[in-house]
Amino acid sequence: MDENESNQFLMTSNQYPKEVVRKRQNSSRDSRGSDSSRCSRKSFRLDYRLEEDVTKSKRGKDGRFINPWPTWKNPTIPNVLKWLVMEKDHSSIPCSKEELDKELPVLKPYFIDEPEEAGVREAGLRVTWLGHATVMVEMDELIFLTDPIFSHRASPSQCVGPKRFRHPPCTISDLPPIDAVLISHNHYDHLDYHSVIALNERFGNELRWFVPLGLLDWMQKCGCEDVIELDWWEENCVPRHDNVTFVFTPSQHWCKRTLMDDNKVLWGSWSVLGPWNRFFFAGDTGYCTAFEEIGRRFGPFDLAAIPIGAYEPRWIMKYQHVDPEEAVRIHIDVQTKKSVAIHWGTFALANEHYLEPRVKLHEALERYGLNTEDFFVLNHGESRYLNTDNETFE
């Protein structure tokens, strides 16, 4: 596919008039609105909708994973150097703690003072944003984390590399008992060695790790024993909770931790499907048609965690990081009722102003006829409870 065809493909597949958004929302409400539909969710069985084609993971001739979509372009060293040298950094992180506290307050999570309140039974779902792509989700009698990073730098060294400008709202020792951790890929801001070690030391074999294909060996070298490695569309569950299914689903990204290990590990998103709730974690991703496939196969979701930051300049970032408008498209594609914004306000990983993602998200929601409660932003450490029986937040 040449560049003109690719651009035409993007234009035709990525535009959503407001009436299309409303139609999808109404369809989701209709499918969940009756008592009979709620009963069917309580006796949930996976509906794979096998008539739908899905994109499988793919390897190149060298055995390394590749993105199978025309929306992908490999990052190159010359382009990275051009970005670092030629592009202006507009992030403008304040030096003043008072200003940061005003714009991006860090709250004490509820479970520090009220640990007995952790956990949600039956209908209902609670999400707590712990910074960057780390969220704690409580649903269907399970508590799990996504891409945990509690370190001060997203780097192989805690002396150099991207540094947090907002500290973690809690420590690992503050967390309630965690049943599972979901890892989307192996970049340092999503797979943090020190956090993995600390979580394993605290929870040991009581904690199940769900990781992408190719990461099992690294996890075992960290001392983690209960590790489930999955390819796209493969599934597993937490022991004694086999009614909740964790499915590794696609995304458009890449993997690298050392000079020579490019794309030896797969990347992806996660779909968590329970008898009462469905949750989607997009991980780190550029925009592609995979999200429509996920929505058709597993939607509608009750809640999705979707990245909105680290997107400028677009000429290099668009292939690997969605901007806020594309995040709204993912929200629509996966057919989620609500979304929470992640991957912003913690590390300065790209060139946009540090507060711009929140502003651009609100502008995109308005363009698509959605409101800010459909795709909401949390403070660090803040929680939201979604009552999925009547679909309201508390």
Side-chain angles (χ1 to χ4, degrees), residues 32-44:
R32 299 256 182 119
S34 67
D35 291 338
S36 61
S37 69
R38 284 201 292 270
C39 288
S40 68
R41 283 165 57 75
K42 296 174 187 178
S43 58
F44 175 70

Side-chain angles (χ1 to χ4, degrees), residues 236-255:
N236 209 284
C237 62
V238 172
R240 301 177 299 280
H241 293 273
D242 58 1
N243 62 335
V244 181
T245 302
F246 293 78
V247 188
F248 192 46
T249 40
S251 71
Q252 180 175 289
H253 205 59
W254 57 293
C255 278

